[in-house]
Amino acid sequence: AAVDMALDASELAMNKNPRPDPRHRIEHAVLNTDKALKRTKDLGVVISTQPTLIRAFADACNRIWGEERTQRMIPTRTWLDMGIPVCLSSDAPSMPWWDPQSTLFASISRASASKKPISPEQALTIEEAMYAHTMTGAYADFAENRKGSLELGKLADLIVWHDNTYTVATEDILKLTVDLTMVGGKVLHEV
């Protein structure tokens, strides 16, 4: 119902004040009906979601909502396959895991705190998760020309991990440590 209400509000706003490329977005969007998924695509709404919610709450959701509904939570693969822009974030400060490693891990593993798989067919690849965490996040903020990738003229806000994020085992993503942090092209932390 919350997703449907957000879509109704986005559609009303677009009808009352039409503009090109409005990039309305829905935060979380945890449970979606098939109709809501189609409306999200048709309206061009961006989804901003936090896969760490799966890790934090899926066990409790399973007890409260039941297995079927819990297995439908945060359908990242479906959104991507439908061409819906998906950006990922940590949901700080409300979540216990603020670091990007946790968000990437949760996007790929889709496991509850008890390690129960939650619709593993919805898992993202590390490449997709990294893109959603960087480029699509910038896109959702109308900032793709300033941030989201390493290109001449962009902000150069970045971190360098001690290992290759694209080749480490999924469970080792959580163990990655930061060797270098840059903000605005200036080194703020270096090991």
Side-chain angles (χ1 to χ4, degrees):
V3 172
D4 292 335
M5 289 170 64
L7 290 169
D8 289 345
S10 293
E11 186 172 23
L12 181 64
M14 286 189 269
N15 288 338
K16 287 199 172 233
N17 299 295
R19 61 185 171 146
D21 195 20
R23 297 190 204 179
H24 293 282
R25 75 187 205 197
I26 298 176
E27 295 294 323
H28 307 304
V30 174
L31 289 176
N32 299 258
T33 61
D34 289 341
K35 181 180 175 185
L37 291 167
K38 182 175 181 342
R39 283 186 73 205
T40 301
K41 169 67 175 166
D42 292 346
L43 292 170
V45 171
V46 176
I47 296 296
S48 174
T49 197
Q50 299 73 29
T52 52
L53 294 169
I54 295 168
R55 187 171 162 209
F57 300 120
D59 289 327
C61 289
N62 198 43
R63 288 189 303 276
I64 297 165
W65 295 345
E67 178 79 18
E68 185 276 329
R69 198 179 278 173
T70 301
Q71 289 295 324
R72 289 192 301 113
M73 71 187 300
I74 309 177
T76 47
R77 168 63 46 213
T78 298
W79 287 321
L80 283 185
D81 288 351
M82 291 179 74
I84 296 168
V86 177
C87 64
L88 303 177
S89 69
S90 67
D91 202 31
S94 64
M95 292 299 294
W97 308 290
W98 296 8
D99 57 273
Q101 298 95 310
S102 293
T103 301
L104 295 171
F105 172 78
S107 303
I108 297 162
S109 69
R110 293 191 60 94
S112 72
S114 69
K115 302 196 182 341
K116 177 179 174 50
I118 305 299
S119 52
E121 72 281 358
Q122 292 291 337
L124 301 181
T125 65
I126 184 63
E127 293 82 5
E128 291 166 332
M130 189 71 77
Y131 190 89
H133 206 12
T134 57
M135 284 301 296
T136 313
Y139 171 82
D141 192 30
F142 290 89
E144 67 271 24
N145 293 324
R146 296 186 298 112
K147 59 185 181 178
S149 62
L150 299 176
E151 296 178 60
L152 186 62
K154 289 192 175 184
L155 292 177
D157 294 346
L158 61 96
I159 60 172
V160 176
W161 283 313
H162 78 278
D163 207 341
N164 186 341
T165 314
Y166 295 101
T167 59
V168 298
T170 300
E171 59 274 6
D172 291 335
I173 291 173
L174 291 171
K175 299 174 190 169
L176 292 172
T177 58
V178 176
D179 288 346
L180 179 104
T181 303
M182 290 178 71
V183 177
K186 295 183 194 300
V187 174
L188 297 182
H189 163 78
E190 189 171 8
V191 175

